[in-house]
Amino acid sequence: MPSINKLLNNIKNAVYGIDIRKAIHDAIWQCYIDSTQGVDVNKEIEEAKAPYATLKERIENITGISDDIKLSAKIYTPTTQNQVISKGQYLAGDQTILGDINLKGENIVKGKSIFGVNGTAEQGSSFDVDDKIVWSGCYANQAVQAARSYWDARVDGQIKFAYSAGKSIFEGKLTNSVGNILFDCSTFLVLVAFLGIDFANSPFVNASGNNKTIDASTIVPISKFPWAHDRGKVRYAADIAEYFYSRLVPIDEVMPGDITCHAGKNADGTYKIKNRFKNISHVGIVAEEKYIQRDANGKVTYFEYYNVTSTENVCIRTKSTSRDDIVFVVRPDYRPRIDVSEINETINLMPLTYKSCKVGKTLTLNSMKFKVNTDGSIETTGQPTSSTTFYLSHKSYPQYLKKGTYKLTGCPKRSDVTTGKTWGLAIRKKDGTELAWDLGDGATFTVTEDFAEIYIYIYISKVKNSTGYKFTPKLIRTA
């Protein structure tokens, strides 16, 4: 009987094809003979599988295996440590290693890898809240004032807006073919949250005529608000969202002045905007705290926000429950670089858009004139033919004052009025309750409820000649 070494040498040294094939055949056959010598292979197989038809069935029905080496069905949840299934165990049930549909690169920070999946998400794209993202208090409220001034102007009929879909003053377009002001959500937020421009200081105040244009380079920050800064290349809603993205806050913790970021979708589920940051197509600014509702745990369940849309009236205040496309909220830092509280006696809480007459114009009421200057002061001329009221804020759309102490000033003092209600600057609740009446020395009052609906006005009776007087209305919170 040739040895296995001889047979391998025959394969190695064969030259002709027929010799090579024969050598391979002889080697394989000899291996079989060696392995089965003295053994009845068929009999061994029959005994091994009995009493089952196949070896597979026999193996699947093996009994008597020690529990120490049986491995029952088990589900493995991935952790930070390896989980080893040791050798020498009999699998008595399915062993399931869990997967996760969220194991995607977009959900993993760039530079990291989890189970072989490389991350693509940029740092800062997490929704975790940075403890340093604090609310700006009175300055955030002031930003809301600036935003509301555009809404007030629209409500009071001082301006007519037309939705511009991204083509407005920053593209040099001021009015449309019928003289309405071109406006969109990003123009609104850039003016307010970047440039610090309220309606009274906007290019819209004295705009008139059809198809009017404007030099966009003249639209610059104003020093009236402490957060005002250059917009750089920020123009569209997605730009605004990306600029403030490092200041994400949970939607159930929103406060006035926060910016809502929306990713609108079409009927087929595709995004309306596909080539900009996070598919953001719309932005708004959270309204006064009066319009925020919270549950027993202090979490926000409802709020309203000022925004500009293609719907009727264009500049509107929207309920958070009326849209389902808010994907995140960011919180601009409106503060000067000092710690501040909500109470600041240097901030005038007067409306920035007067109800009765807009800035730079003169209104005649009952034969007397009210001239509204750009600094908010009001010069009066003449004696009214009947008692006259000039509204600074709207009675039907009141302002809101939070619980606290306030001081009303700005009525010019005159020697013939020391008492009574024939002249002065007044503030009342919406139901008519008087809170304060300033005759020239200022008037302090306290709001005891959480929020008071108020309106402010100048009153002049027909017996008072008002030529040569100037009102400088101011409302401050002192405590």
Side-chain angles (χ1 to χ4, degrees):
M1 179 185 296
S3 68
I4 189 66
N5 288 333
K6 180 175 175 55
L7 292 170
L8 291 173
N9 282 330
N10 289 342
I11 296 171
K12 180 178 179 182
N13 296 323
V15 175
Y16 299 104
I18 187 172
D19 296 332
I20 294 173
R21 291 194 297 274
K22 184 177 186 305
I24 293 173
H25 170 272
D26 292 345
I28 293 173
W29 176 251
Q30 187 61 50
C31 288
Y32 172 75
I33 295 299
D34 291 345
S35 66
T36 60
Q37 189 172 18
V39 176
D40 186 339
V41 176
N42 292 331
K43 183 178 180 181
E44 289 292 325
I45 294 174
E46 287 297 326
E47 291 179 354
K49 69 182 183 180
Y52 298 94
T54 64
L55 279 174
K56 180 177 182 295
E57 291 180 87
R58 179 69 179 90
I59 292 170
E60 290 176 345
N61 288 276
I62 291 176
T63 59
I65 297 176
S66 170
D67 289 340
D68 292 339
I69 61 171
K70 275 186 177 180
L71 193 58
S72 301
K74 185 176 180 180
I75 295 176
Y76 297 85
T77 301
T79 69
T80 57
Q81 302 295 324
N82 291 335
Q83 300 177 74
V84 179
I85 301 175
S86 303
K87 63 182 180 179
Q89 298 184 84
Y90 172 72
L91 302 183
D94 292 335
Q95 309 298 301
T96 303
I97 314 299
L98 291 179
D100 194 319
I101 60 173
N102 292 312
L103 185 59
K104 303 175 183 177
E106 64 197 61
N107 296 326
I108 302 171
V109 176
K110 190 174 183 179
K112 301 291 184 180
S113 176
I114 297 178
F115 296 125
V117 179
N118 295 322
T120 59
E122 298 292 340
Q123 289 278 11
S125 61
S126 167
F127 281 77
D128 292 340
V129 180
D130 185 342
D131 290 338
K132 296 180 181 178
I133 302 178
V134 297
W135 185 53
S136 301
C138 61
Y139 297 104
N141 289 338
Q142 199 176 20
V144 176
Q145 267 192 295
R148 175 169 172 152
S149 68
Y150 292 88
W151 184 86
D152 281 333
R154 194 270 299 169
V155 168
D156 293 336
Q158 297 181 18
I159 198 81
K160 285 188 176 181
F161 292 116
Y163 188 67
S164 64
K167 298 293 183 181
S168 63
I169 53 176
F170 297 118
E171 288 70 44
K173 299 179 182 297
L174 183 56
T175 65
N176 65 8
S177 59
V178 294
N180 293 340
I181 298 295
L182 292 168
F183 211 23
D184 56 54
C185 68
S186 54
T187 299
F188 178 44
L189 264 295
V190 168
L191 286 172
V192 172
F194 286 81
L195 304 179
I197 299 176
D198 60 301
F199 177 75
N201 291 280
S202 75
F204 307 146
V205 173
N206 296 311
S208 62
N210 304 337
N211 296 317
K212 292 297 182 180
T213 60
I214 185 173
D215 181 356
S217 66
T218 64
I219 309 169
V220 296
I222 63 174
S223 59
K224 182 174 183 176
F225 300 112
W227 67 86
H229 62 286
D230 188 79
R231 69 183 177 96
K233 295 183 178 180
V234 173
R235 171 62 184 93
Y236 299 108
D239 302 332
I240 296 169
E242 185 173 15
Y243 184 91
F244 291 116
Y245 195 59
S246 63
R247 297 184 60 81
L248 286 166
V249 294
I251 197 168
D252 60 1
E253 295 181 12
V254 299
M255 291 292 287
D258 291 350
I259 294 176
T260 60
C261 301
H262 308 241
K265 291 185 178 181
N266 299 307
D268 61 359
T270 59
Y271 286 106
K272 293 181 178 180
I273 297 293
K274 299 178 182 178
N275 60 346
R276 296 180 191 159
F277 181 76
K278 301 293 182 182
N279 306 115
I280 299 302
S281 55
H282 186 68
V283 284
I285 182 168
V286 177
E288 298 95 320
E289 198 167 347
K290 164 68 178 179
Y291 300 107
I292 297 177
Q293 297 176 10
R294 297 180 173 85
D295 61 20
N297 297 315
K299 296 297 183 180
V300 174
T301 58
Y302 169 91
F303 62 92
E304 297 183 17
Y305 54 94
Y306 295 106
N307 62 129
V308 174
T309 75
S310 58
T311 60
E312 185 180 1
N313 295 323
V314 180
C315 187
I316 61 176
R317 188 172 61 228
T318 303
K319 298 177 180 179
S320 60
T321 52
S322 68
R323 294 186 64 152
D324 60 1
D325 60 354
I326 300 177
V327 290
F328 57 83
V329 176
V330 294
R331 177 168 294 166
D333 188 352
Y334 298 106
R335 301 169 298 169
R337 294 301 175 253
I338 57 173
D339 290 330
V340 296
S341 73
E342 191 172 354
I343 301 169
N344 188 315
E345 296 187 19
T346 67
I347 292 179
N348 190 355
L349 302 178
M350 282 287 170
L352 299 173
T353 299
Y354 295 154
K355 162 67 174 71
S356 291
C357 183
K358 66 181 179 181
V359 68
K361 299 296 182 180
T362 298
L363 174 69
T364 299
L365 288 174
N366 299 325
S367 299
M368 72 166 292
K369 294 181 179 180
F370 296 82
K371 179 185 177 184
V372 181
N373 299 313
T374 55
D375 62 357
S377 63
I378 302 166
E379 297 178 35
T380 58
T381 304
Q383 183 170 337
T385 56
S386 61
S387 297
T388 300
T389 302
F390 180 98
Y391 289 97
L392 279 69
S393 57
H394 205 300
K395 186 176 181 180
S396 298
Y397 301 96
Q399 289 180 262
Y400 294 90
L401 295 182
K402 294 178 68 173
K403 182 186 294 184
T405 302
Y406 298 82
K407 186 173 183 179
L408 177 68
T409 61
C411 178
K413 194 169 184 177
R414 52 191 298 169
S415 59
D416 62 343
V417 178
T418 56
T419 60
K421 304 294 173 61
T422 59
W423 161 278
L425 178 63
I427 181 168
R428 292 180 183 272
K429 293 183 180 180
K430 186 178 180 180
D431 63 7
T433 304
E434 181 183 310
L435 289 174
W437 192 292
D438 176 27
L439 296 175
D441 296 315
T444 299
F445 63 97
T446 300
V447 173
T448 57
E449 58 265 62
D450 289 339
F451 295 95
E453 298 179 298
I454 61 97
Y455 62 98
I456 308 166
Y457 62 94
I458 294 170
Y459 178 78
I460 301 174
S461 68
K462 66 178 181 178
V463 298
K464 299 299 178 185
N465 189 318
S466 302
T467 300
Y469 290 96
K470 179 189 287 188
F471 288 79
T472 56
K474 188 174 184 179
L475 176 63
I476 61 172
R477 183 174 175 182
T478 61

